[in-house]
Amino acid sequence: MRQGILIVICTLYAGMAKGFQEEPFAQKTLVRGAPEIIHYGLDDFHSDPMMMAMCQDSSGVKYFGNQDGALVFDGENWQRIALPNKSLVKALHYGSDHKVYLGGFNEFGTIERDGFGRYHYHSMVHLAPEDDLDLDFVYDIHEVQGHVIFRSVSKLIAITGQKAFTIPTGGFYTSEVVNDRLYMANWSDGLKVFDLHTMNFELLISKESYEWNPIVSITAGNSAEMLSIFTRDGQVYSYHLESKDFSLARVLFDQKSTNQVTSVIRTKQGDYYVGTLSNQLIMLTASGETIPLDKTRISLQDESVNSLFESDNGNLWVLLDNGIDCINLSSPSSIVFNKASVFDVNIHHVTMYIATNQGVWASVNPPGTEPFMHMDFEPIPGLEGQAWSLQTFGSQLLCGHEKGLFVIRGNDSQQIPGTDGVWKVIPIAEKPGQYLVCTYYNLQLLTVDSAGNFRIRNVVSGFSESSRDILQSEPGVFWVCHGFKGVFRIKVAPDYQRVVSVQHFEKAGLPAPYNVNVFSCNGEAVFSTQAGIYTFNDSLNLFQPHPLLNKVLDPKKETRKLLDTKHRTWYIHNDEVGFFNKDDQFTLHSEPFLQTRGAFNKQMETILPLINGVLIGTKKGLFAFDLTPKTDSLTSYPVRISQLSFTKGDQRLLLPLENPLELQAAQTQNLRLEYAVPQMDMLNEVRYSYQLSKADQGWSDWEEKPWKEYTALTPGTYEFSVRAQSKLGESFLAASRTLIVRPPWHQTTLAFLIYSIMGLALIFLCVKGILRLIEQQKRRTILEAEKQNKILRLELDRMQLAQEKNQFETAKSSLEGDLILKTKELVNYATLLSRKQELMMELREELVRLEDTTKNEKTRRDLKALIRKIKSRLNNDDYIKVFEANFERVHHQFFSELRERYPDLNSKELRLCALVKMNLTNKEIAPIMNISIRGIETARYRLRKRLSIHDDMVEFLEKLSP
């Protein structure tokens, strides 16, 4: 928003205080200036700038009609509303039923706010008969005699409740409602009044009476029986309803002017404001004065005015071809001068002089009595640079300047010789007509002769400090405060030639030697510091806290200025200006001056009290405040919470404006609360302070941001409150909203109950599982123990088996050794037996041969007997049985197994098997068996067949038994 600030002077009764006594500079000077203007343009509402209609609802929200439809403004945010047919909007009206009515091309209806704070259009076209929907544009909307009237050129549509009826008309081009009567003007007849009860039109004024000049506006006059009628060409007529008297009251334009009247409004104060086509506004005061409000007085965005509207708080809204301007008629403050930083101000001979960092400026025109008075200022030549003070002594104005001390007469200045770097001049109480000039370096004595000529008589020797801050406490005694060195009390000789004594106090009870200032309050010298206000105790030679002022002004805050007048004391306290009256228990009043906060020139603050007003100098310029007590009661406007929203992903979603409002925890992610004071028209830089219970420690600092965001609120009930304050100190009714943040489903009571049940079940399952695990562990332990025991037993068995195996192996080795030995023995035995048998057979054969050859009978008989004996021996099988027994002892179970498998074997076959097993040759077996080798071969052949042996017979018999 671009804010245009005009150089103005509020309506004030002028008076001024010099030194510490209030001195009225005039008996009763009324000064009024042009008010502050707020400009709204494309950068604000982002829509077509041609505005044609406006209304305001009971909450202060403003509605505007333009080429794009309608705009809604709540004091902080704009919203655009388009009609279904994209029509422009030429008419708006706020009805007694608290509805906003709107009219466009073949379209009419209402604008309503939903539960989320957004505005929507609701058409009412369906209420009218279908044959009457060809309306063309709706130009005006009125409420009269219990009906809402939508006027087009060709017809009227009257609506009451949900019923509508159409009234044909004859080309009415303008209409107004005054005192519940509908006045309309048409091209063919003139001005008529329409009665909805009788449905009759009554002609009041024929068109010839106002010379066929189109009527632009019909308004109430100065009495209930009077009408004021404005025509397009600037004629203003008066019409008396009882006497029917119709007369020309005034003409707004000269005959050569091409300007036209476009709109008219009568304010609550009885003034008329006339919008024009090419020269902004004209004001007609209630007293009958005509004031042109052209570019020389006020600066609107556009000179072409389409419509005018007065808001509930008395401000004038001007709808232009290129934007919206709001003229702040209700503000008690204004800016008198804004071209430089102000150090002092003085009104001298009806001319206002301002001392600034760019020299001294003088008003070109004197203060006037007419409204919207505009004052121009011009710099005084020769006073360029830092001008510190402006003081009136007698009839002359002196200026303390960095170049020296000057006398100002009108717009001329003359330097007093011998001066340089002058802060100010103070009168010497005990020496009328003599003054001390306070400079950067010393004090100088100034005198004035009977002709009014000033001259420097001498420099006061003995003191060479800067004396910007100085106060005389008694004859010849002065307090001087230095910005960094502390406080000096000096005593000057009676002839003011020199300083006879200097007391220097760096602290002496003061909190610090710097930023100390001296003032007079109720005739007493007081000292302001960064930690309270002090007074000097002569008996103790010590500074002590002031008992009263430190109760009125917080000693924790820095007081930089005190100005005592007859009925009130002004102060600058922690960069805020205010006052307290001496008859109202010292109540501080700083709210009206909040717009100057933080804008003061430290140690050079300017306060000039006037009758019922004050001028205050700042770095931004000179402000004027009207302190006239208000006779009407002030309305305390409420703050309105306009929208609630939260962020979900990349989207911002709206929440309902319910109170209390229930939220899910997920909806508090970037939860935004937006608020506004719609009634304030955004004229006074509204600031907000908020707090959220359980989240904020207290009220926040004041800030201009009209919204607050909170992130991730924990479940619970919160109370959000927001209050507002204007730069003029006006406070508004706080708004509050109860927020109930519900936990997510997994944090609800049911969820916790489920969690508890699940937890108990889980505990049960865990206990059961643990018991099962313990049991399984126990079982595993037992099994493991058993396994270990088994392994141990197996190990023992293995060890025993290994031992037994070792023993067996040992035994086996022993047995094998025995077996081999016995087998060898058996083989040897069999071999020996075979050789024995063979030998005996050879012996028998030798004996038989010998018998055959022996001739001796006795020998023959002996030989025969011996042969028989050998034969008997050969046939005797005892030695075979011995062999078999030994064989059985060596080869266990051989014969049993052989008999078991082959039960048909005879003893000789068994014996042959044993001899074959011993791997004896046929030659070795034959003697043992007492048969021939051939017989052994035959016997072995037969045995093979009986045993079904296809392989080696020795291997087969080896496998039977070891």
Side-chain angles (χ1 to χ4, degrees):
M1 180 179 66
R2 179 169 53 87
Q3 179 170 319
I5 306 296
L6 301 181
I7 301 176
V8 297
I9 303 177
C10 282
T11 305
L12 300 169
Y13 289 97
M16 75 184 239
K18 279 298 167 191
F20 299 96
Q21 301 296 323
E22 192 170 15
E23 301 176 2
F25 69 88
Q27 292 296 320
K28 191 175 182 180
T29 303
L30 179 66
V31 180
R32 180 181 296 169
E36 178 183 3
I37 299 178
I38 308 298
H39 302 305
Y40 298 95
L42 281 172
D43 292 339
D44 300 305
F45 46 74
H46 303 288
S47 183
D48 188 272
M50 179 182 239
M51 300 295 163
M52 293 172 283
M54 178 181 175
C55 72
Q56 178 183 10
D57 66 20
S58 58
S59 66
V61 176
K62 282 80 177 174
Y63 303 80
F64 302 89
N66 70 353
Q67 298 275 9
D68 293 332
L71 294 173
V72 182
F73 180 49
D74 68 358
E76 294 288 354
N77 301 298
W78 297 80
Q79 180 187 339
R80 189 171 71 178
I81 300 174
L83 273 61
N85 61 1
K86 309 301 179 183
S87 167
L88 56 84
V89 172
K90 289 192 173 186
L92 286 164
H93 176 74
Y94 182 66
S96 60
D97 56 359
H98 305 293
K99 291 183 179 180
V100 175
Y101 292 92
L102 172 153
F105 182 80
N106 288 336
E107 186 65 61
F108 59 90
T110 61
I111 297 176
E112 298 178 17
R113 189 182 186 215
D114 63 19
F116 296 89
R118 300 292 292 173
Y119 291 86
H120 304 276
Y121 172 72
H122 297 273
S123 178
M124 301 178 70
V125 172
H126 63 281
L127 298 178
E130 292 186 8
D131 296 339
D132 297 326
L133 293 182
D134 187 15
L135 292 174
D136 202 89
F137 280 106
V138 174
Y139 288 96
D140 285 309
I141 304 173
H142 306 291
E143 188 171 6
V144 59
Q145 298 175 9
H147 295 75
V148 176
I149 304 295
F150 296 87
R151 181 191 67 81
S152 69
V153 173
S154 60
K155 63 192 71 172
L156 304 177
I157 294 182
I159 294 179
T160 175
Q162 293 296 310
K163 296 181 180 179
F165 59 91
T166 304
I167 305 166
T169 60
F172 288 103
Y173 60 85
T174 190
S175 59
E176 296 284 353
V177 172
V178 180
N179 297 326
D180 205 33
R181 301 186 71 187
L182 178 60
Y183 298 92
M184 296 188 294
N186 64 6
W187 300 106
S188 57
D189 301 313
L191 181 64
K192 294 183 177 182
V193 61
F194 177 66
D195 191 337
L196 269 78
H197 298 304
T198 62
M199 303 296 289
N200 290 326
F201 289 94
E202 178 187 352
L203 180 64
L204 297 181
I205 306 170
S206 67
K207 62 182 181 180
E208 292 81 9
S209 300
Y210 49 86
E211 301 176 352
W212 293 276
N213 199 342
I215 294 175
V216 174
S217 179
I218 305 114
T219 66
N222 294 328
S223 66
E225 296 81 17
M226 295 296 296
L227 293 178
S228 294
I229 301 169
F230 294 78
T231 66
R232 185 176 61 190
D233 290 343
Q235 289 85 10
V236 183
Y237 293 92
S238 295
Y239 178 77
H240 197 282
L241 294 172
E242 298 295 334
S243 66
K244 310 297 182 181
D245 180 56
F246 180 71
S247 62
L248 180 65
R250 71 182 76 186
V251 178
L252 301 178
F253 311 129
D254 58 41
Q255 292 183 351
K256 295 182 180 180
S257 174
T258 59
N259 202 3
Q260 296 180 2
V261 173
T262 56
S263 60
V264 180
I265 188 172
R266 185 175 188 267
T267 67
K268 302 180 184 71
Q269 305 299 324
D271 298 324
Y272 294 88
Y273 288 89
V274 180
T276 70
L277 181 65
S278 59
N279 206 20
Q280 300 191 153
L281 298 171
I282 299 173
M283 180 183 179
L284 307 179
T285 67
S287 60
E289 186 178 3
T290 301
I291 302 174
L293 302 180
D294 53 18
K295 286 287 186 182
T296 63
R297 292 180 182 266
I298 63 173
S299 180
L300 302 180
Q301 295 181 88
D302 192 350
E303 294 190 355
S304 182
V305 177
N306 292 328
S307 184
L308 298 170
F309 183 84
E310 184 184 20
S311 63
D312 292 343
N313 51 8
N315 295 313
L316 182 65
W317 290 78
V318 185
L319 308 186
L320 306 166
D321 265 357
N322 189 30
I324 307 168
D325 283 348
C326 184
I327 302 176
N328 189 358
L329 299 177
S330 62
S331 174
S333 72
S334 62
I335 295 182
V336 177
F337 173 84
N338 65 351
K339 296 181 179 179
S341 182
V342 175
F343 297 139
D344 202 0
V345 60
N346 194 304
I347 301 176
H348 183 69
H349 296 323
V350 302
T351 299
M352 181 176 291
Y353 294 91
I354 303 175
T356 74
N357 64 333
Q358 298 179 21
V360 178
W361 299 70
S363 60
V364 175
N365 49 324
T369 59
E370 61 184 34
F372 288 89
M373 180 64 189
H374 178 73
M375 294 183 67
D376 286 325
F377 289 85
E378 290 183 354
I380 297 178
L383 294 180
E384 296 82 3
Q386 305 276 1
W388 302 117
S389 62
L390 294 165
Q391 296 166 275
T392 300
F393 297 103
S395 62
Q396 300 197 70
L397 180 65
L398 298 183
C399 172
H401 197 281
E402 65 177 356
K403 298 177 183 178
L405 184 62
F406 292 81
V407 179
I408 298 177
R409 296 181 178 90
N411 284 344
D412 295 326
S413 64
Q414 181 179 359
Q415 186 173 0
I416 297 175
T419 60
D420 183 33
V422 175
W423 291 113
K424 62 183 179 183
V425 176
I426 64 171
I428 299 174
E430 71 275 19
K431 291 181 176 292
Q434 295 189 25
Y435 309 89
L436 276 184
V437 179
C438 308
T439 74
Y440 296 177
Y441 325 104
N442 53 33
L443 295 172
Q444 298 175 353
L445 182 62
L446 178 70
T447 61
V448 59
D449 59 23
S450 58
N453 297 316
F454 290 96
R455 72 181 182 89
I456 300 296
R457 197 177 78 176
N458 60 269
V459 174
V460 180
S461 63
F463 187 75
S464 58
E465 299 291 346
S466 174
S467 51
R468 176 184 57 80
D469 199 3
I470 186 170
L471 175 71
Q472 184 174 7
S473 60
E474 55 187 279
V477 178
F478 297 85
W479 289 100
V480 180
C481 292
H482 192 284
F484 303 99
K485 295 181 180 181
V487 180
F488 298 89
R489 183 164 68 170
I490 62 174
K491 184 173 179 59
V492 185
D495 59 0
Y496 278 80
Q497 292 287 330
R498 61 189 177 86
V499 173
V500 296
S501 69
V502 177
Q503 284 182 284
H504 184 198
F505 304 94
E506 289 191 0
K507 293 190 74 171
L510 295 172
Y514 45 83
N515 292 335
V516 181
N517 300 281
V518 62
F519 307 100
S520 177
C521 187
N522 291 327
E524 177 186 15
V526 295
F527 302 84
S528 66
T529 71
Q530 290 180 321
I533 299 172
Y534 288 75
T535 185
F536 187 74
N537 189 321
D538 277 308
S539 60
L540 298 177
N541 202 36
L542 190 70
F543 292 93
Q544 294 178 324
H546 197 285
L548 176 61
L549 291 177
N550 283 320
K551 291 181 179 179
V552 178
L553 299 171
D554 187 354
K556 296 179 181 178
K557 299 179 180 179
E558 180 184 8
T559 300
R560 295 207 306 267
K561 190 175 185 68
L562 286 171
L563 178 60
D564 196 32
T565 63
K566 184 176 181 180
H567 299 294
R568 61 180 51 148
T569 298
W570 292 85
Y571 64 86
I572 292 181
H573 191 46
N574 243 28
D575 233 15
E576 284 187 2
V577 65
F579 66 87
F580 55 87
N581 295 319
K582 298 177 181 179
D583 56 358
D584 64 354
Q585 298 181 346
F586 301 101
T587 302
L588 300 183
H589 302 274
S590 62
E591 293 83 1
F593 317 108
L594 291 179
Q595 70 188 95
T596 64
R597 177 167 47 192
F600 295 105
N601 292 295
K602 288 189 177 183
Q603 316 304 330
M604 294 300 298
E605 297 89 348
T606 301
I607 301 174
L608 179 59
L610 306 171
I611 298 175
N612 290 328
V614 65
L615 296 176
I616 298 175
T618 71
K619 296 176 182 176
K620 299 177 181 178
L622 184 65
F623 287 81
F625 293 88
D626 183 1
L627 302 179
T628 305
K630 303 296 183 182
T631 56
D632 53 339
S633 59
L634 295 175
T635 302
S636 185
Y637 299 126
V639 181
R640 185 172 81 158
I641 296 178
S642 53
Q643 273 189 1
L644 301 173
S645 61
F646 70 99
T647 300
K648 184 177 183 181
D650 296 333
Q651 291 183 319
R652 179 160 289 279
L653 304 178
L654 295 178
L655 291 166
L657 295 173
E658 301 171 353
N659 195 16
L661 174 64
E662 293 192 6
L663 300 167
Q664 297 300 319
Q667 293 176 315
T668 65
Q669 295 296 328
N670 294 326
L671 175 66
R672 174 179 287 191
L673 299 98
E674 299 181 27
Y675 30 81
V677 185
Q679 288 90 342
M680 285 311 298
D681 300 340
M682 281 303 293
L683 296 175
N684 297 309
E685 297 177 6
V686 177
R687 301 180 304 158
Y688 301 93
S689 177
Y690 54 82
Q691 70 171 350
L692 181 68
S693 62
K694 301 181 182 179
D696 297 328
Q697 297 297 323
W699 287 99
S700 70
D701 294 334
W702 293 102
E703 57 184 46
E704 295 183 6
K705 184 177 65 175
W707 51 269
K708 171 61 180 172
E709 279 191 359
Y710 292 95
T711 301
L713 295 178
T714 58
T717 300
Y718 300 84
E719 187 74 19
F720 177 79
S721 301
V722 57
R723 58 187 181 180
Q725 185 183 68
S726 74
K727 69 180 180 182
L728 296 179
E730 299 164 294
S731 297
F732 310 107
L733 298 176
S736 62
R737 186 78 46 168
T738 300
L739 305 176
I740 303 174
V741 181
R742 299 296 186 193
W745 67 267
H746 57 274
Q747 294 181 4
T748 59
T749 303
L750 178 61
F752 283 119
L753 180 60
I754 295 173
Y755 297 154
S756 299
I757 295 172
M758 293 175 65
L760 291 174
L762 183 61
I763 291 172
F764 173 77
L765 293 175
C766 288
V767 170
K768 189 173 180 180
I770 290 171
L771 291 176
R772 183 180 299 147
L773 288 174
I774 291 172
E775 185 65 27
Q776 290 177 354
Q777 188 64 29
K778 184 178 178 181
R779 204 176 297 121
R780 280 199 298 269
T781 302
I782 294 172
L783 291 174
E784 189 67 26
E786 291 178 353
K787 182 178 179 181
Q788 292 296 329
N789 290 334
K790 186 175 180 181
I791 292 172
L792 184 58
R793 286 196 300 269
L794 289 174
E795 186 65 22
L796 292 174
D797 291 344
R798 187 187 65 78
M799 293 173 64
Q800 185 177 358
L801 287 174
Q803 185 178 4
E804 291 178 352
K805 180 180 179 182
N806 290 336
Q807 293 176 354
F808 175 75
E809 292 292 335
T810 303
K812 179 180 179 184
S813 299
S814 177
L815 290 174
E816 286 180 347
D818 290 345
L819 180 60
I820 294 171
L821 181 60
K822 290 179 179 180
T823 301
K824 289 181 178 180
E825 291 178 351
L826 189 57
V827 171
N828 292 334
Y829 177 77
T831 303
L832 291 175
L833 182 60
S834 173
R835 289 180 179 176
K836 177 184 176 184
Q837 290 292 92
E838 183 180 355
L839 178 61
M840 289 183 69
M841 289 178 66
E842 290 179 356
L843 183 57
R844 190 189 66 176
E845 290 178 358
E846 287 293 330
L847 290 175
V848 171
R849 189 172 61 249
L850 184 59
E851 180 187 5
D852 291 340
T853 61
T854 299
K855 299 300 185 178
N856 184 339
E857 187 64 30
K858 182 179 184 305
T859 300
R860 292 177 61 92
R861 285 193 303 267
D862 288 336
L863 288 172
K864 287 182 180 182
L866 185 58
I867 291 171
R868 282 195 300 273
K869 188 175 181 179
I870 291 172
K871 185 177 181 180
S872 173
R873 288 284 182 177
L874 288 172
N875 291 330
N876 189 357
D877 59 358
D878 289 340
Y879 64 94
I880 294 298
K881 291 180 180 179
V882 173
F883 168 79
E884 289 177 357
N886 290 330
F887 184 88
E888 185 69 23
R889 200 165 46 247
V890 174
H891 300 284
H892 306 290
Q893 303 295 327
F894 176 77
F895 290 118
S896 298
E897 187 177 349
L898 196 58
R899 289 191 188 97
E900 182 179 350
R901 296 178 65 180
Y902 304 102
D904 294 338
L905 294 177
N906 54 33
S907 59
K908 288 185 178 181
E909 291 174 336
L910 291 173
R911 191 176 296 131
L912 179 59
C913 287
L915 295 172
V916 172
K917 180 176 175 61
M918 291 176 65
N919 202 18
L920 297 178
T921 63
N922 291 342
K923 182 177 179 182
E924 292 173 330
I925 297 172
I928 298 173
M929 295 290 291
N930 198 21
I931 58 176
S932 63
I933 293 174
R934 183 66 179 173
I936 291 302
E937 291 176 355
T938 301
R940 289 184 70 162
Y941 175 76
R942 291 178 183 156
L943 183 60
R944 287 174 64 91
K945 292 184 64 175
R946 294 195 66 177
L947 296 178
S948 300
I949 297 173
H950 303 290
D951 297 323
D952 186 23
M953 187 175 180
V954 175
E955 292 180 1
F956 174 77
L957 294 176
E958 284 288 340
K959 293 178 182 179
L960 288 180
S961 177

